[in-house]
Amino acid sequence: MALAEKTDKRVQLLIAAEQLFAEKGFDGTSVRDIAQLAEVNLAMISYYFGSKERLLKALIEYNFNLNIELLEDLSKNESISPMDKILQLADFYVDKFILKRRFHTIVSQEYNTGRSSEIKELITNFKMRNFERVKGILAEGQRKKVFRKVDPEMTMATLIGTINQVINSRNMYCILLRIDSDNEEDYRRKVTERLKIHFRQLLRSHLAAE
Amino acid sequence: MALAEKTDKRVQLLIAAEQLFAEKGFDGTSVRDIAQLAEVNLAMISYYFGSKERLLKALIEYNFNLNIELLEDLSKNESISPMDKILQLADFYVDKFILKRRFHTIVSQEYNTGRSSEIKELITNFKMRNFERVKGILAEGQRKKVFRKVDPEMTMATLIGTINQVINSRNMYCILLRIDSDNEEDYRRKVTERLKIHFRQLLRSHLAAE
DNA sequence: AAAAATCAATTAAACGTTTGTTTAATTTAA
DNA sequence: TTAAATTAAACAAACGTTTAATTGATTTTT
């Protein structure tokens, strides 16, 4: 708690907001909830971010700008086969989405219901960048005759949709996979492994040329 | 006639609530919004449903109890091969989820952020029923040596997750698939077809025994 | 080096709206 | 005449945001 007091209050607010927006939704969370969890005066939200909505925007912008260069490297790497490339990409998405599951839950919610077109554009751009990356690998694989012809948009929907489904139905998959919902570390490890194995089998048979 | 008029305003409220909850979220929608769109006095919400939350519960219960017998028939039918059975089930889910996309968006939102444990249990039960159905077909296919061994929980996540991804990122897929977002009928036809073809290819290669 | 000035950080309190719900009166239908 | 349906108005509580005052630390002036 002494460490928390030392930390920047701006960061404390972002952390608290991420947790609460994911658990109760943007409109279901009051600025007083956030301030209380962050142990910060509620006026600091306006002071640092201007408004509750700009706090959300800052949260989204910060998370979207993480790890982008990591993915660029993978896409350009010529020494990896398309199949390994897509499997590594799937692993990357699994790791990142599961690790930041709260944030990605917020993104899912906000893309539908959010009233801010600024935020919607942010999310659309992020999704587009990800899709272009997948589409590029699929095209490369087809050019090299190691992938068969598939629907790139639907394949993307399957990749991201499967992960989102597991994240956004966490309660259910904790029951099905017999995972203690309170043990976040155990949840992360088990779900990550199951998803990666599933994708290895699914993507191989879906993409491999006959 | 008399009965229809009696429940008329109740139905109008349910229809308006479905649209608004899907577009702006449960907490983002006020009872005044709903009453205005339904052209009904806002006190009628408490009169008919008791509260805003019980209105949501009524909406969910009503939609979950549709088409259940239709699915039971398919599962029990012994004259259909497991592969055709799972493909018909996928088609069924695609049709139903796309047709009732607004409702299923609400379900996705509310399963994470909703504070009512009653509603969460409703949704869990619905998801469980669907999973048991899929799991049964997968087991039958493996018993008859026409399916290989796959992860049932993850396969379910892929099936429902892919559809949900398309529904919950509607903006994005309208851009990608060059669909006029305002033409609901065109959207429904094109997305439904793309999803069904994709599933036919994906599930066949994923499930077929070598 | 002490005092004064400056500016960002922080606070409690108050602001005007909007929220979901209830009330009590009135209309409608049987 | 009775009960259900419908209404406008009122309710307290919660909402996001702003205010004006105060603190704390750093810089400037004396």
Side-chain angles (χ1 to χ4, degrees):
Chain A
M1 198 51 69
L3 192 107
E5 274 170 347
K6 274 186 188 175
T7 325
D8 192 10
K9 301 203 172 184
R10 213 188 102 99
V11 175
Q12 285 176 249
L13 284 170
L14 284 167
I15 293 171
E18 181 175 274
Q19 181 183 326
L20 291 170
F21 287 165
E23 281 171 5
K24 319 203 293 171
F26 179 78
D27 289 308
T29 303
S30 73
V31 290
R32 285 167 181 83
D33 290 337
I34 301 170
Q36 190 175 30
L37 183 64
E39 295 178 281
V40 158
N41 188 285
L42 87 159
M44 300 304 285
I45 292 173
S46 293
Y47 181 76
Y48 276 124
F49 302 99
S51 69
K52 184 189 173 189
E53 188 160 291
R54 300 252 292 279
L55 163 58
L56 171 65
K57 197 185 162 195
L59 181 63
I60 292 177
E61 274 176 332
Y62 170 75
N63 278 283
F64 276 172
N65 289 327
L66 291 175
N67 310 108
I68 36 174
E69 61 292 334
L70 236 136
L71 271 176
E72 299 294 343
D73 294 347
L74 177 64
S75 294
K76 286 174 192 159
N77 193 327
E78 291 287 339
S79 66
I80 310 174
S81 75
M83 185 62 84
D84 283 342
K85 218 178 253 189
I86 196 81
L87 290 177
Q88 282 184 33
L89 188 69
D91 281 1
F92 177 84
Y93 282 138
V94 169
D95 283 329
K96 204 186 156 199
F97 275 57
I98 299 295
L99 188 67
K100 300 284 301 179
R101 65 176 181 87
R102 271 179 265 257
F103 169 69
H104 287 283
T105 296
I106 298 172
V107 173
S108 295
Q109 314 275 353
E110 225 34 49
Y111 195 58
N112 281 309
T113 60
R115 269 126 279 118
S116 159
S117 58
E118 270 187 83
I119 289 176
K120 279 188 182 168
E121 276 176 36
L122 268 175
I123 300 177
T124 299
N125 286 341
F126 175 75
K127 284 171 180 275
M128 282 291 185
R129 275 207 309 276
N130 285 332
F131 172 66
E132 291 303 329
R133 206 127 34 199
V134 171
K135 197 180 174 183
I137 300 176
L138 295 181
E140 184 195 348
Q142 280 171 22
R143 207 181 327 111
K144 294 180 176 172
K145 310 279 186 194
V146 291
F147 285 174
R148 63 170 164 169
K149 201 167 171 293
V150 296
D151 187 327
E153 287 86 5
M154 293 298 109
T155 301
M156 184 66 182
T158 290
L159 180 57
I160 304 299
T162 301
I163 305 174
N164 270 334
Q165 180 71 11
V166 172
I167 291 172
N168 294 329
S169 303
R170 189 172 181 271
N171 276 357
M172 157 122 219
Y173 284 95
C174 278
I175 300 172
L176 283 180
L177 307 179
R178 290 184 195 79
I179 296 173
D180 177 13
S181 184
D182 298 327
N183 190 341
E184 183 69 18
E185 184 50 38
D186 190 48
Y187 164 82
R188 200 145 60 206
R189 213 188 56 250
K190 284 178 177 165
V191 165
T192 300
E193 198 197 353
R194 284 285 274 266
L195 272 169
K196 286 183 180 178
I197 294 173
H198 173 66
F199 275 136
R200 214 151 291 152
Q201 184 177 13
L202 182 81
L203 291 175
R204 274 192 191 283
S205 54
H206 176 54
L207 294 173
E210 293 95 283
Chain B
M1 173 68 175
L3 191 115
E5 272 185 7
K6 207 176 201 177
T7 55
D8 193 32
K9 300 203 173 184
R10 213 187 101 99
V11 173
Q12 283 176 251
L13 284 170
L14 284 167
I15 293 171
E18 181 175 274
Q19 180 183 326
L20 290 170
F21 287 164
E23 281 172 5
K24 318 204 292 171
F26 178 78
D27 288 309
T29 304
S30 74
V31 289
R32 285 168 181 81
D33 290 338
I34 301 170
Q36 190 175 29
L37 183 63
E39 294 177 286
V40 158
N41 189 284
L42 87 158
M44 301 303 286
I45 292 173
S46 293
Y47 182 76
Y48 276 125
F49 301 99
S51 70
K52 183 188 175 190
E53 190 160 290
R54 299 253 292 279
L55 162 59
L56 171 65
K57 197 187 161 193
L59 181 64
I60 292 177
E61 274 176 331
Y62 170 75
N63 279 281
F64 276 172
N65 290 326
L66 291 175
N67 309 108
I68 35 173
E69 61 293 333
L70 237 136
L71 271 177
E72 299 295 342
D73 293 349
L74 177 62
S75 293
K76 287 175 193 160
N77 194 326
E78 291 289 338
S79 65
I80 310 173
S81 75
M83 186 61 86
D84 283 343
K85 218 178 254 189
I86 197 81
L87 291 177
Q88 282 185 32
L89 189 69
D91 280 2
F92 177 84
Y93 282 138
V94 169
D95 282 330
K96 204 186 155 198
F97 275 56
I98 299 295
L99 188 67
K100 299 284 301 179
R101 65 175 181 86
R102 270 180 266 257
F103 169 70
H104 287 283
T105 295
I106 298 171
V107 172
S108 295
Q109 315 274 354
E110 226 32 50
Y111 195 57
N112 282 309
T113 60
R115 270 127 278 114
S116 159
S117 56
E118 271 187 84
I119 289 176
K120 279 188 182 168
E121 275 176 36
L122 269 174
I123 300 177
T124 298
N125 286 341
F126 175 74
K127 285 172 180 273
M128 282 289 183
R129 276 207 309 274
N130 285 332
F131 172 65
E132 291 303 329
R133 204 126 38 201
V134 171
K135 197 181 174 184
I137 300 176
L138 295 181
E140 183 195 348
Q142 281 171 22
R143 207 180 329 111
K144 293 180 176 172
K145 310 280 186 193
V146 292
F147 285 175
R148 62 170 165 170
K149 201 169 171 296
V150 297
D151 188 327
E153 287 84 8
M154 293 298 107
T155 301
M156 184 67 183
T158 290
L159 180 57
I160 304 298
T162 301
I163 304 174
N164 271 334
Q165 180 71 10
V166 173
I167 290 173
N168 293 331
S169 303
R170 189 172 181 272
N171 275 358
M172 158 124 218
Y173 284 96
C174 278
I175 300 171
L176 283 180
L177 307 179
R178 291 186 194 80
I179 295 174
D180 177 12
S181 183
D182 298 327
N183 189 342
E184 183 68 19
E185 183 51 37
D186 190 48
Y187 164 82
R188 199 145 61 206
R189 213 188 55 250
K190 284 178 178 163
V191 165
T192 299
E193 197 196 355
R194 284 285 273 267
L195 273 170
K196 286 183 179 178
I197 294 173
H198 173 65
F199 275 136
R200 214 151 291 152
Q201 184 177 12
L202 182 81
L203 291 175
R204 273 192 192 284
S205 54
H206 177 54
L207 294 173
E210 294 95 281

